[in-house]
Structures are given as structure tokens and as C-alpha cells.
Amino acid sequence: MLVLRVLRSSVRFPTPCEVLPNSLVLGLSEPQRQGSEQHRFQQRTIRSVEAGTLELHYETGRSAQGRVRPAELDAVVPKGMIFAYDVIAEVLWLRYVELKQRQRIRADLALRGVSISAGSVTNLSHLALGCLEQLHERAAGDLAESYRQHAFILHLDGTHEGGQWCHFVIREGMTGDVLLAQKIRSEHTEDIAGMLGRVKKLFGPPDVAVSDMSSSICKAVAKVLPETPHRLCHFHFLKAVGKTILGPDHDALGHSVRHVRSELLELRRDCVARLRQGDKLQEQVIALIDRVNVYVGELSGEGFPFDLPNLCYVQRCGEVFEKLELLLGQKRSDLLGGKDVHSHLLRLSQHLRTYGHSDGGGTTARLQRRNDLFVSLRDILHPTVGDTHAPLNWGRLGDPACVPDIDGKLAKIRGTARRKARCKTLTASDRKMWKTLHRQLENHADKLVPLLEVRGSLYVLPRTNNLSETGFRDVKRKQRRTTGNGNLKRQLDLMPAQVFYVQNLASPHYRRLVFANRPLQECFAETDWDKVREAAQTMTTPHRLGAVNHALVNRHDFFDTVTAALAPNSSAGAGNRQ
């Protein structure tokens, strides 16, 4: 009720329940009038959710600091705008919390007496995000003190959908609060280092940083936070190791089964054709083919390398082939059906024969052996527990006593890898695989241990960067719901990075520290609106070094401006300026 309270106090209503008139007169206070001259009245229309449309006649004057106007007006509406702070706060809430589209927001505000265009909805939403960002940074000291009551953990990650911009977000690991969000062209070391420097300046150095395997992030953390421990996401580490040791054989197996897939598809069409002609036993042949093709149920859904679909397909081929061999080994008279059924069974057996007999030395057997090694490494970093949700965020829920001896187990595998890499009896391919595994473990072993002592307390860090991933997923889902478009390439390019700060509003603790539990419009009135407008102008397309400066290139005095900048004392520059 900011607008009603401020304006009622200015016109001295006898009762607080009385409705504001459509026209009000606001004068300068006595100190303002004495410190200024050239007093005059101006007229202005403002639109408010609480008070509707108001005609204001307000007194202004000129002082040494510039024009002065009534303090009540500055507390209700930003300078040079017709929309009050409560409209700006309402647009923010409707747009990014209730996920309404612009036309729906226009309709909702029209029912409350505020006429607004779709373009103004976009502009006000950007201004509101600028206010939110400024208030967030203003409260950085209080937030940092709160974070240091436990381990101050930074989670770093970026996301994009193939567009021009990458949304890079730095979060606090225990609360999930977004500390800094920016749009950058790519995950370049210098861009990330700049963001880390900003976080360090606002919140101080963290106790630990957690990220994926990105080399740019690792270099930026080492550059800006050299004394801060850096931990890697176990999921991304396993993914990188699995891709290295399993990728070549898995891809080769995929190429080899491509012909079998097409042959089985053709055979299934022939069986379906015979089934439509009344041969019911063809259903059994179709079921055998489907037993091979429907292998997805055995996969966990985590993707490669945690799932090996090509290996699973080959194993299904071998399983069906073994049963077919037993079936076709019987007497022909014991088999039901005509020659079409028998012919189709023979064709199926012929197609699967390649994968029916494993000699232990082929691609399939080698991939299986390497996958057993990968599974043993995965069991160390991703142990199976009764609560399937606990391993994702050990540090937020866990007890240090429950964490397995990851360091010791990794050291054991690292020693095995070192010996195997030097073993002359192994093939060159196997030695290369063991050498690669040893190098990965040697380089990153110290970044995989989850235990960390902070200010005398032992913490168990989250084993994954899942906090960042779920935050990105939440924003993308909301963008799809708001825009109705599944392809977010263009939407994410246009979306301001400050949208991620809206996620912090769900935390009562954050609202208490940043807003002191006051309404958003009251806090918006306290921001520096020159900086808010400046931030809003760069939200869609942030400024970056080296970008085309269209304002300069298109100036009518372009050459004079460039000459004056490069050679301010030259006669050519002076002559042109004259």
C-alpha cells in the first residue's frame, strides 16, 4: 500500500479509508523551497495498481544540485516514468513468478485500472530485474555473513541451447542462492574469471568451488581463487573417463550392428505381411525380433557412458541366437508352422550369428572388460545407497562418517593403472587405455575427495554439480511454459540473465536479508534508477569487448571522432573540428 500511504500523508486525509481523488497537488517541503528557486508547478499522470490513474500537479524548483521535486513523488514513481513502483513490482511477479504472457499481464492490469502496452510490459520487467540485481548486490555483505555460518560453497556452470549467448551462473552451494548471473559469448576463461572476481569482491573468497570438467572454469578458479580448494563433479568426471575408455569400442560396435538393425527391420516387415494373411505363428517370430530391438528397458536413462546401448543390443542378439540354435536343432517335424515360419527363423539366426559366439577377444568382449573397470570406478564415486537421493548432495544432508574411503580406493585404482600402463603383455590399445585412466586420476584425484574441513567443522561436499543443473532445468521449463515454444535457442538469447535472481525470491531467509520482509515496491524506490536503466539497456544484448560499436560507426562525424581520439593534438583533427 505504498502509493496510498505516501499520497494520503501528503494531502492529510482525515480517515485512512477515504478513496484518493483523481487529481492531487504536491508541494515542496519548506527546506526544499528555501534551498531552491524558480518554483513552478508541473502536471503529470501516473498509473498505479493501488490507486489507479492519477493526475498530479507538483511543485518543482532549481537548486545547485539540479531540479528538485516533492519527496512523495520520488517515493511513488521513478523519475520520467508514468508507471508507479507497484506496477513495476507487479509486472515482475506476473511475468517471472506466475509465468504469464504479456497479453495476459495487460489484461490483468487493465482489470485493476492500469492501461499498459505489451512493449511496456517487457520494458518494466527488465527494469524490475535491474532493481532486483541492485538490491541483491547491495545486501551482499549480509548474505556473505549468513553463508559463512556454514561452508561457503560456490557452484559454477553455464548453459545454452545452441544460440549466441551462454548463461553462466554462480550459486551458493548450501542454500542454492544465485550469487551472480551473466550472459557471455562462450565459457571463456577471461569471462569466467571476471565473474569470479566480481563474486569475490561482493561476497569474499569462498571455502571451496565445485564445477564440471570444463578447462576454462578450472583455469579461471586457479587464476582468481588460487588458495581456494576446487572440487570436480563426480558425474562429469565419470562421463569424461567413460567417454575416453569406452567411446572408441562402443562407436565401432554401433557401426557393426547398423546392418543387422536394417536386416531385422526388413525381416519383421515380411513376418507382419504373413501374419496379416492368417499365419498366426508369425507372432512368435516377431516377438523374437522385438526381444532384440526392445532393449531400452535395460538402460538406466543416464546416457553414455553409464548406459551402453550398442553393447546391450549385441548382448540381446547373442541371447536370442542361443535360443534359436536350440530351437532349430530340433527335428523339423517337431516344429509347428509351415516353411515360411521355418524360413524366417533361419533368416533371423543367420543375421544374429555374428554376435552369437564370443571368442573373448573381439570388440564386444573388450568393451565388456573395459565396462567392468568403469563400473568399479563408478561404484567408488557413485555408491549405491538405500536413499537414492542422498549421493547427489552429500554435503547438504550427509554425515562424514557415512562417506566411503574414496581417496584410498582411488589410490588403489591409480596404482593398478600405473602398473598396467607399463605391462608389455597387454595390447597397445589396452596400455593406452590404462595410461589415459592413470593420467586422469593423477591430474584430478585431489579434486574428487568430498571431505573438507572449514573453520574447525568437517563438511561433506556435494558429489555432483546437480544444484546448477536443476536450476537451469527449472528456468528452461518456465521459459517453455511462458513462451509455448519447445526450442529455446532464441528465447534464451533474448532472456536477461537477471531472471535467475528471481529464483532467490522463493527463500524466506533471502527475502529477510535483502528486503527486510518489505514489499518489493518499497525496496525498488530506494534503488539508483540511473544504474537500473543502464542495466536494462544491456540485458538483451550485453556489451562485450570487440563488438561492433554501431553508435560510433554510424555517426555523421565518424572520421572526426576517430581522428580526435587517436591524435587529439594533430592539426588534421583540429582542422576538422573547426
Side-chain angles (χ1 to χ4, degrees):
M1 305 298 288
L2 171 68
V3 175
L4 296 180
R5 186 172 68 250
V6 171
L7 294 183
R8 280 197 178 104
S9 64
S10 66
V11 296
R12 297 179 178 83
F13 275 93
T15 61
C17 298
E18 189 172 347
V19 178
L20 285 174
N22 292 331
S23 180
L24 293 176
V25 178
L26 300 177
L28 293 173
S29 65
E30 192 61 31
Q32 286 179 318
R33 188 175 290 106
Q34 292 178 358
S36 60
E37 55 185 12
Q38 299 181 11
H39 301 138
R40 61 188 177 91
F41 277 86
Q42 294 182 351
Q43 182 177 348
R44 186 170 173 189
T45 301
I46 67 169
R47 298 172 185 175
S48 166
V49 173
E50 299 173 1
T53 302
L54 296 175
E55 292 288 342
L56 295 182
H57 298 269
Y58 61 96
E59 186 179 11
T60 65
R62 182 177 296 278
S63 67
Q65 291 76 30
R67 303 288 308 177
V68 294
R69 59 181 191 167
E72 297 86 356
L73 188 63
D74 290 331
V76 171
V77 61
K79 183 178 180 180
M81 295 185 63
I82 65 172
F83 295 105
Y85 290 113
D86 61 349
V87 177
I88 300 173
E90 189 69 14
V91 167
L92 172 74
W93 192 265
L94 294 175
R95 182 67 170 168
Y96 298 115
V97 178
E98 298 188 10
L99 309 179
K100 293 185 179 181
Q101 295 182 343
R102 295 189 303 173
Q103 296 300 331
R104 178 65 183 275
I105 295 174
R106 290 186 62 200
D108 287 356
L109 292 179
L111 293 176
R112 302 166 72 175
V114 178
S115 176
I116 187 172
S117 66
S120 294
V121 169
T122 299
N123 294 336
L124 293 186
S125 66
H126 289 179
L127 290 171
L129 291 174
C131 291
L132 201 62
E133 180 181 37
Q134 190 175 130
L135 292 169
H136 169 78
E137 295 184 353
R138 183 181 297 178
D142 295 333
L143 290 171
E145 183 179 354
S146 172
Y147 298 149
R148 282 182 172 77
Q149 294 178 3
H150 43 72
F152 183 19
I153 306 173
L154 291 190
H155 281 257
L156 303 89
D157 203 2
T159 186
H160 64 89
E161 293 288 324
Q164 298 181 4
W165 295 98
C166 169
H167 285 270
F168 199 88
V169 178
I170 302 178
R171 297 176 180 271
E172 201 282 321
M174 301 297 281
T175 63
D177 291 347
V178 174
L179 302 183
L180 186 64
Q182 287 185 7
K183 283 201 296 189
I184 56 180
R185 281 291 183 181
S186 63
E187 290 190 11
H188 192 274
T189 300
E190 294 302 322
D191 292 330
I192 300 174
M195 293 184 65
L196 280 174
R198 180 67 174 165
V199 169
K200 183 178 179 180
K201 179 180 179 181
L202 290 172
F203 302 94
D207 297 316
V208 64
V210 180
S211 71
D212 56 21
M213 294 282 290
S214 169
S215 60
S216 299
I217 297 179
C218 293
K219 292 177 182 177
V221 172
K223 178 179 179 180
V224 181
L225 306 170
E227 304 299 326
T228 299
H230 187 196
R231 296 294 186 264
L232 296 179
C233 169
H234 290 182
F235 177 84
H236 287 88
F237 176 78
L238 287 171
K239 193 172 183 179
V241 171
K243 183 178 179 181
T244 301
I245 67 177
L246 301 176
D249 286 335
H250 189 261
D251 292 341
L253 205 59
H255 287 294
S256 69
V257 301
R258 187 177 303 172
H259 176 69
V260 177
R261 292 178 188 270
S262 61
E263 292 291 344
L264 292 187
L265 183 61
E266 182 180 354
L267 177 58
R268 194 182 191 281
R269 285 196 296 263
D270 294 342
C271 292
V272 171
R274 295 298 300 167
L275 178 63
R276 290 173 177 171
Q277 295 175 8
D279 190 351
K280 296 297 184 181
L281 287 178
Q282 295 289 345
E283 290 182 348
Q284 309 307 317
V285 183
I286 294 173
L288 288 170
I289 299 173
D290 291 342
R291 174 69 181 178
V292 174
N293 290 332
V294 186
Y295 63 91
V296 180
E298 293 189 13
L299 306 178
S300 65
E302 293 182 284
F304 180 82
F306 305 97
D307 289 327
L308 301 178
N310 295 335
L311 178 61
C312 186
Y313 184 86
V314 169
Q315 290 173 340
R316 282 290 184 97
C317 290
E319 175 193 23
V320 173
F321 176 78
E322 290 179 5
K323 300 302 180 183
L324 272 177
E325 286 290 279
L326 295 176
L327 185 63
L328 294 174
Q330 301 180 19
K331 294 181 180 180
R332 177 70 178 82
S333 58
D334 293 339
L335 294 176
L336 297 179
K339 63 178 183 179
D340 288 337
V341 173
H342 190 262
S343 174
H344 288 164
L345 290 175
L346 288 174
R347 285 175 58 188
L348 179 58
S349 176
Q350 182 180 1
H351 294 326
L352 303 180
R353 184 175 302 276
T354 305
Y355 308 104
H357 302 291
S358 176
D359 57 2
T363 304
T364 304
R366 184 170 62 249
L367 180 60
Q368 183 62 62
R369 291 195 303 271
R370 294 185 176 186
N371 186 52
D372 293 339
L373 171 64
F374 176 74
V375 169
S376 65
L377 181 61
R378 184 187 64 187
D379 289 342
I380 295 174
L381 298 177
H382 187 178
T384 302
V385 295
D387 181 4
T388 57
H389 296 287
L392 290 177
N393 293 290
W394 270 329
R396 308 179 77 187
L397 304 172
D399 178 1
C402 300
V403 178
D405 181 18
I406 290 181
D407 196 17
K409 293 180 179 180
L410 289 178
K412 184 177 180 180
I413 290 186
R414 190 163 65 249
T416 302
R418 182 174 58 252
R419 291 192 303 270
K420 293 284 189 178
R422 299 171 181 175
C423 183
K424 301 299 182 181
T425 60
L426 296 178
T427 64
S429 176
D430 285 342
R431 287 201 305 271
K432 181 179 179 181
M433 183 270 295
W434 283 108
K435 184 177 180 180
T436 301
L437 178 60
H438 176 261
R439 183 174 64 252
Q440 291 275 33
L441 291 173
E442 191 71 23
N443 292 339
H444 304 298
D446 59 327
K447 298 180 180 179
L448 298 174
V449 180
L451 293 177
L452 183 72
E453 185 174 353
V454 178
R455 290 179 286 277
S457 299
L458 191 63
Y459 289 89
V460 189
L461 303 178
R463 72 164 184 87
T464 72
N465 211 22
N466 187 60
L467 186 67
S468 297
E469 300 292 344
T470 54
F472 290 138
R473 182 182 63 193
D474 179 63
V475 169
K476 290 179 181 180
R477 284 178 176 175
K478 290 180 177 180
Q479 283 295 307
R480 290 188 180 97
R481 179 178 172 183
T482 303
T483 63
N485 193 337
N487 185 359
L488 295 181
K489 178 178 178 179
R490 183 171 182 272
Q491 277 70 28
L492 287 185
D493 276 351
L494 297 178
M495 184 187 79
Q498 289 80 354
V499 170
F500 287 94
Y501 293 118
V502 177
Q503 293 180 327
N504 296 345
L505 299 180
S507 169
H509 181 68
Y510 178 88
R511 295 198 303 269
R512 180 176 63 81
L513 291 178
V514 177
F515 309 117
N517 290 327
R518 294 181 299 160
L520 285 177
Q521 56 264 33
E522 290 189 19
C523 299
F524 286 0
E526 300 171 357
T527 57
D528 184 341
W529 270 80
D530 290 334
K531 294 182 178 179
V532 168
R533 289 186 173 94
E534 182 179 349
Q537 290 176 354
T538 61
M539 283 186 182
T540 302
T541 306
H543 173 73
R544 64 183 181 91
L545 294 176
V548 177
N549 188 342
H550 292 281
L552 174 61
V553 171
N554 295 324
R555 286 177 63 104
H556 69 280
D557 57 345
F558 168 73
F559 292 105
D560 295 346
T561 304
V562 172
T563 302
L566 295 176
N569 298 323
S570 69
S571 57
N576 290 334
R577 287 192 298 271
Q578 289 177 357

